[in-house]
């Protein structure tokens, strides 16, 4: 960890040459192979929709909340979701507090694009009153430690938080069926989100003008690589999104190779996420923890009527 912060702003020429020469021999500084993934650990908090993911030295926390809002005019029968990222200077001194930087905006867009365009979350099930009220789901991602490859770790944190999140149950009644009653968790069991599939992001780093390819680059490798690409794929092998920032060109054969590597790895990562979620659900059921559901700006302590 100390060595990583010592080389925070720029690696020396000798260090960069050492990393590149090791990669030409198919060796990496941390001892992994070119296509090996770092150890993935997933934990959950006591509340619905909170996750903590550690990928090597990269540490990300995810939180999901929801509130009732009017729907968009072009989609009156669908709810919505949004992603917000927070890059703390404690995670990396190069992160500046205040307004989100370019890296934070790009990270949120990559994850949002994969979830939205692949329609992983059933937004129609978030509709309460067509054209009047829908659930708006908010995903907050907090970067606690930047050990490289923030996209993959944040993507898994968002998926894990979504899978353990449950919104309050609500009923529609009153005159003209225009009253919405939100039931607290003590009265009715909260409802989980409907997630059709899990779009898993895999980031690749390019070295030596694209002739060398590595999977899951570390913080040091990111300082040396000449380009990167993120491929988002689900367990069925369906390509959900591809993001290639920067001006460095990549051959078509390299892109296809990245897609094949991501597809071969997606099923294993999906299994790890689902097993972690199942273990969390079993633990909550066995301990019979009193459930509390967090809503944006307020806590539900009894039935709430929304007219």
């Amino acid at each position: 960890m100390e060595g990583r912060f010592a080389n925070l702003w720029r690696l020396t020429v000798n260090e960069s040459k050492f990393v590149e020469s090791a990669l030409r021999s198919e060796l990496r500084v941390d001892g992994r192979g070119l296509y090996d993934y770092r150890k993935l650990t997933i934990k959950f908090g006591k509340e619905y929709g909170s996750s903590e993911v550690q990928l090597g030295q990269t540490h990300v926390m995810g939180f999901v909340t929801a509130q009732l809002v009017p729907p968009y005019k072009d989609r009156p029968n669908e709810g919505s979701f949004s992603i917000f990222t927070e890059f703390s200077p404690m995670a990396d001194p190069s992160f500046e507090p205040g307004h989100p930087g370019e890296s934070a905006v790009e990270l949120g867009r990559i994850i949002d694009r994969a979830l939205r365009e692949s329609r992983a979350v059933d937004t129609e099930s978030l509709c309460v009153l067509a054209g009047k009220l829908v659930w708006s789901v908010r995903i907050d991602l907090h970067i606690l430690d930047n050990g490289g490859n923030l996209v993959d770790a944040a993507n898994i944190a968002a998926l894990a938080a979504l899978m353990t999140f449950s919104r309050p149950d609500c009923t529609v009644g009153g005159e003209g069926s225009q009253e919405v009653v939100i039931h607290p968790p003590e009265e009715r069991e909260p409802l989980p989100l409907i997630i059709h599939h899990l779009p898993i992001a895999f980031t690749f780093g390019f070295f030596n003008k694209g002739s060398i390819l590595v999977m899951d680059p570390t913080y040091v490798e990111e300082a040396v690589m000449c380009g990167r690409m993120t491929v988002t794929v689900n367990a069925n092998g369906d390509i959900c999104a591809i993001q290639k920032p920067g001006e460095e060109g990549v051959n078509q054969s390299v892109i296809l190779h990245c897609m094949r590597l991501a597809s071969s790895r997606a099923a294993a990562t999906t299994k790890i996420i689902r097993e972690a979620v199942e273990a969390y659900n079993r633990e909550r059921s066995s301990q019979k923890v009193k459930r509390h559901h967090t809503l944006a700006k307020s806590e539900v302590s009894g039935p709430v009527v929304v007219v």
Side-chain angles (χ1 to χ4, degrees), residues 14-301:
N14 290 335
E15 289 171 331
S16 300
K17 290 183 177 180
F18 173 78
V19 173
E20 292 179 346
S21 62
L23 290 174
R24 283 193 290 268
S25 302
E26 297 187 357
L27 298 174
R28 300 174 75 170
V29 178
D30 56 4
R32 290 183 292 153
L34 297 181
Y35 308 138
D36 291 341
Y37 225 64
R38 288 175 293 176
K39 181 181 179 181
L40 175 63
T41 305
I42 304 175
K43 299 179 181 179
F44 300 97
K46 296 181 179 180
E47 301 292 338
Y48 287 117
S50 62
S51 65
E52 182 179 348
V53 170
Q54 190 161 358
L55 182 61
Q57 291 184 348
T58 303
H59 201 177
V60 181
M61 294 188 70
F63 301 93
V64 177
T65 55
Q67 62 178 342
L68 287 174
V69 298
Y72 294 112
K73 293 182 179 180
D74 57 338
R75 294 183 178 180
N77 299 323
E78 294 185 18
S80 61
F81 64 88
S82 55
I83 297 178
F84 296 86
T85 57
E86 180 183 349
F87 281 43
S88 171
M90 294 182 62
D92 192 329
S94 64
F95 297 156
E96 296 182 358
H99 189 72
E102 183 178 343
S103 301
V105 174
E106 180 186 9
L107 175 64
R109 287 178 177 176
I110 293 175
I111 300 175
D112 180 87
R113 180 186 175 191
L115 289 170
R116 194 179 305 275
E117 295 190 1
S118 66
R119 301 192 68 85
V121 180
D122 188 354
T123 54
E124 292 184 359
S125 64
L126 300 176
C127 179
V128 177
L129 207 58
K132 300 293 184 180
L133 287 175
V134 297
W135 286 105
S136 176
V137 179
R138 171 178 173 139
I139 307 170
D140 288 277
L141 299 173
H142 301 267
I143 310 301
L144 303 181
D145 194 5
N146 179 19
N149 194 10
L150 289 175
V151 174
D152 293 13
N155 171 259
I156 296 174
L159 294 176
L162 285 171
M163 293 183 68
T164 56
F165 175 73
S166 295
R167 61 173 178 82
D169 191 10
C170 51
T171 55
V172 179
E175 295 183 4
S177 298
Q178 295 298 312
E179 289 187 358
V180 177
V181 180
I182 304 176
H183 302 279
E186 294 81 7
E187 183 178 316
R188 289 196 179 185
E189 187 74 15
L191 302 177
L193 300 177
I194 299 177
I195 301 177
H196 299 299
H197 63 93
L198 300 181
I200 311 295
F202 296 96
T203 300
F204 301 87
F206 304 119
F207 300 83
N208 196 23
K209 297 182 180 181
S211 61
I212 300 177
L213 173 70
V214 301
M215 197 176 194
D216 183 24
T218 63
Y219 186 88
V220 174
E221 291 171 341
E222 287 181 345
V224 181
M225 64 187 187
C226 60
R228 62 184 173 89
M229 183 175 69
T230 300
V231 179
T232 307
V233 60
N234 60 21
N236 299 324
D238 302 324
I239 304 298
C240 303
I242 296 179
Q243 179 80 6
K244 170 61 182 70
E247 301 177 356
E248 185 71 22
V250 180
N251 293 329
Q252 180 180 0
S253 59
V254 177
I255 297 177
L256 294 176
H257 185 43
C258 292
M259 294 168 61
R260 286 192 293 267
L261 290 173
S263 299
S264 63
R265 176 77 190 181
T269 305
T270 300
K271 182 180 179 181
I272 294 175
I273 298 175
R274 293 191 182 279
E275 288 180 349
V277 172
E278 291 174 359
Y280 166 78
N281 292 333
R282 287 195 302 267
E283 183 179 358
R284 285 187 69 98
S285 299
S286 61
Q287 294 180 354
K288 296 181 180 180
V289 178
K290 185 178 180 181
R291 297 177 177 87
H292 295 278
H293 197 94
T294 303
L295 287 174
K297 299 183 180 180
S298 64
E299 289 188 3
V300 179
S301 57

